[in-house]
Amino acid sequence: MDVVNRYITINNHVNGAPQHSVFELKASPLSLSLDPASNVVIVKNLYVSIDPYQLNRMKSFSASQKTSDFAVAIVPGEAIDTYGVGKVVASTNPEFDKGDIVVGLLNWGEFTVIKAGGMLNKLNPMGFPLSYHVGILGFSGLTAYAGLFEICKPKKGEKVFVSAALGSVGNLVGQFAKLSGCYVVGCAGSKEKVALLKEKLGFDDAFNYREETDLNSTLKRYFPNGIDIYFDNVGGEMQEVAVSNMDINGRVAVCGVISEYLDSKKRAAPSMIEVIYKRIKIQGFLAGDYLNIFGDFLSATCDHLRTGKIQPLEDISDGVESIPSAFISLYRGQNIGKKIVKIAEE
């Protein structure tokens, strides 16, 4: 039996903001009749993740391409891999059967062919929507959990600042920090997002950075006694002023520098005098560094979801053809929470 597999590629490298013209929707026949010796799994993709870091993979060069297996360069014309959830439709791999729900590295497309050794695991949804396992119970959630608890180690009463606080990671960092008894302030790019942070997610306060003409003064207003923890998703000027407003022994978890993804000239230059004399810890990290705590993260987050202590935020588009628009929306500040594309019904 053959099916048609539609998938998204790029037709050229992307240097700057992503545009619709660089993406192509391709289609190719795919046989579901497998050679018994092939040890292959064919997955019907159900939900796929849309993440800002993919832009660095699309560039002609990025330092990130050399440092992580998950960030290798994307070759124009080839399928683009991403984290996702799917259903096995054919398998000669003895570990997977037709009908299994799985999670792992899939493609921005309708089907994924996964050879032996590929990143794929059976999924127990545990009563939650499958989309949760792409975001809040997947790498976005692990990133928030590990960055906050393993790097920043919050203590009750500490003051936490989160940039891009309504993004897939930032919204969870703020919620985890509140559950730890911290005072939490987030920034976002619209009045509507600020309202969501305070009214739905329980942030103590929030501000629209687009309305602030002097970010240094803004942070002094919200943190008159200094910031203990800064969870950085944006880099650039925001990182600089956050470091300048840190308290002694402050901790900075550098999760993303989205401002630099678009413009390398916007590299942050935090004051090293501040870092030295305030004994500030600044650490970059990847979720893959903390797979050893995935079980602890999953257990804690599931408990919080069941008790309503954490609110999931998902922004779901429909259909493989919506992937380019979904990705571009990340760089226009149009997403609320975790951006996901639903490819098909189970």
Side-chain angles (χ1 to χ4, degrees):
M1 176 183 174
D2 285 354
V3 294
V4 175
N5 180 29
R6 297 188 302 157
Y7 59 99
I8 296 294
T9 68
I10 55 173
N11 55 36
N12 208 339
H13 292 295
V14 181
N15 293 299
Q19 305 294 330
H20 284 280
S21 59
V22 80
F23 294 100
E24 288 187 10
L25 178 62
K26 291 190 173 183
S28 61
L30 175 64
S31 175
L32 301 184
S33 300
L34 298 174
D35 180 340
S38 62
N39 204 17
V40 159
V41 179
I42 299 179
V43 175
K44 176 185 177 182
N45 303 338
L46 302 177
Y47 293 91
V48 295
S49 181
I50 308 295
D51 301 288
Y53 82 90
Q54 296 277 23
L55 184 61
N56 292 324
R57 300 183 63 204
M58 297 175 187
K59 294 177 180 179
S60 55
F61 172 79
S62 171
S64 61
Q65 296 171 1
K66 302 292 185 181
T67 56
S68 170
D69 291 342
F70 295 107
V72 295
I74 294 168
V75 178
E78 294 190 1
I80 298 170
D81 58 359
T82 189
Y83 197 67
V85 170
K87 185 175 185 177
V88 175
V89 292
S91 174
T92 55
N93 183 324
E95 296 182 14
F96 299 96
D97 296 317
K98 183 177 180 180
D100 285 345
I101 300 298
V102 291
V103 62
L105 276 185
L106 307 181
N107 290 334
W108 274 359
E110 294 178 319
F111 294 89
T112 305
V113 178
I114 301 169
K115 298 178 181 179
M119 180 181 170
L120 192 70
N121 293 290
K122 291 182 181 180
L123 175 67
N124 174 8
M126 299 178 290
F128 294 108
L130 293 180
S131 59
Y132 282 22
H133 297 274
V134 179
I136 192 170
L137 298 178
F139 274 103
S140 295
L142 178 62
T143 300
Y145 186 90
L148 183 65
F149 293 112
E150 296 296 309
I151 294 175
C152 297
K153 301 184 185 301
K155 303 179 186 69
K156 185 176 181 179
E158 287 195 312
K159 303 170 293 294
V160 178
F161 175 47
V162 186
S163 58
L166 211 62
S168 63
V169 174
N171 87 86
L172 296 173
V173 172
Q175 294 187 77
F176 283 137
K178 284 301 299 175
L179 289 173
S180 300
C182 297
Y183 170 79
V184 182
V185 176
C187 71
S190 72
K191 291 179 180 178
E192 293 76 17
K193 289 184 176 183
V194 167
L196 277 172
L197 289 172
K198 293 192 289 185
E199 296 168 11
K200 181 172 182 176
L201 302 187
F203 281 55
D204 293 286
D205 221 327
F207 63 90
N208 178 0
Y209 69 87
R210 298 182 194 275
E211 295 180 342
E212 302 295 334
T213 57
D214 184 344
L215 289 173
N216 189 57
S217 296
T218 301
L219 290 187
K220 287 187 184 302
R221 186 167 74 247
Y222 287 100
F223 298 97
N225 298 313
I227 301 167
D228 294 302
I229 292 171
Y230 173 45
F231 200 100
D232 186 13
N233 292 301
V234 300
E237 182 187 5
M238 191 68 77
Q239 185 191 101
E240 293 177 11
V241 296
V243 168
S244 293
N245 283 277
M246 299 296 289
D247 201 354
I248 291 173
N249 293 318
R251 290 87 75 199
V252 180
V254 185
C255 172
V257 287
I258 195 168
S259 63
E260 189 177 325
Y261 297 169
L262 295 178
D263 184 355
S264 62
K265 296 176 183 177
K266 289 187 176 181
R267 289 178 182 169
S271 168
M272 288 297 106
I273 292 293
E274 298 271 5
V275 172
I276 294 167
Y277 283 89
K278 291 183 178 177
R279 284 83 84 194
I280 298 169
K281 172 186 175 181
I282 302 177
Q283 183 175 335
F285 72 103
L286 300 174
D289 300 335
Y290 295 95
L291 292 176
N292 61 306
I293 65 165
F294 189 85
D296 293 338
F297 146 71
L298 196 61
S299 176
T301 307
C302 286
D303 286 346
H304 293 325
L305 283 168
R306 291 189 179 104
T307 57
K309 293 179 179 178
I310 280 186
Q311 301 299 316
L313 272 188
E314 296 182 315
D315 190 339
I316 301 179
S317 302
D318 289 310
V320 65
E321 62 278 350
S322 74
I323 288 175
S325 294
F327 182 67
I328 290 169
S329 75
L330 297 177
Y331 288 91
R332 295 179 177 175
Q334 296 168 336
N335 65 299
I336 294 177
K338 175 63 184 178
K339 191 64 192 175
I340 297 169
V341 171
K342 180 180 180 180
I343 303 296
E345 296 287 349
E346 182 181 336

